[in-house]
Amino acid sequence: MSSNVNFEIAPSILSADFCCLLDEIKQVEGKAKYLHIDVMDGHYVPNISFGIPVINKIRPHTDMIFDVHLMITNPEEFVEKFAKVGADAITFHIECTKDPAALISRIKSLGKKAGIAIHPDTPVEKVFPYIKDLDIILLMSVIPGLGGQKFMDDAPARLSAIRAEIDRQGASTILSVDGGIHEATIETAVKAGARLLVAGSAVFDNDDHAKAVEDLICAVRL
Ligand code: DX5
Ligand code: ZN
């Protein structure tokens, strides 16, 4: 059964087996359009993942949409480099820049989709002034920095508030959600208005990654 609501899954390679990263990506390629790529710098989040050279290496091997989530301080110093190695969408944390509007237009001038991510402690209203200019709003439903955490209880209400404002403004911004998405939570997130569902452990901790994506899609019965 497929849902009447259009939504997409973005498998997050943070939970992939890096010994065979390309093989991991190939397993989800036929099932998902987006690939979520978490970049962590050890400053904004207490963890370091991977960065520009890894994206550069995988880019020629897949046409998936590279949805790059920058969990880094000073994102303005790096967006050009991420654009150059083939990011399709670049999402920065609103907490990490003084001038979100300038960074959005910089990303767009590089020919890329621009996104803002919101930390669970940040009021969602902070993103409202930028909605019309944004391609993606990424609501964090866990504390950024680690896969496999629990979907936060207040995430549905926060998603609904952003959804309502996107609709009120008549914008086409994609509402994305990141953290704790699995079969038991995905429907709630879609119901609350999310349309791009990031899933790391739910996809890559399952031996059959392709089936895991299918199972997530089937778990939405709206
Ligand atoms: C967490 C990352 C997420 C992470 C999600 O900071 O931004 O993208 O991969 O992992 P799960 O789906 O396991 O919560
Ligand atoms: Zn992420």
Side-chain angles (χ1 to χ4, degrees), residues 26 29 33 59-66 88:
K26 288 289 164 190
E29 194 175 47
K33 281 192 216 156
R59 181 69 284 181
H61 300 284
T62 179
D63 290 330
M64 290 181 83
I65 300 167
F66 280 9
D88 296 298

Side-chain angles (χ1 to χ4, degrees), residues 12 14 36 38 40 69 71 140 144-148 178-180 198-201:
S12 168
L14 188 65
H36 187 82
D38 287 308
M40 304 180 185
H69 176 193
M71 283 166 274
M140 293 306 300
L146 210 65
D178 187 3
V198 176
S201 50

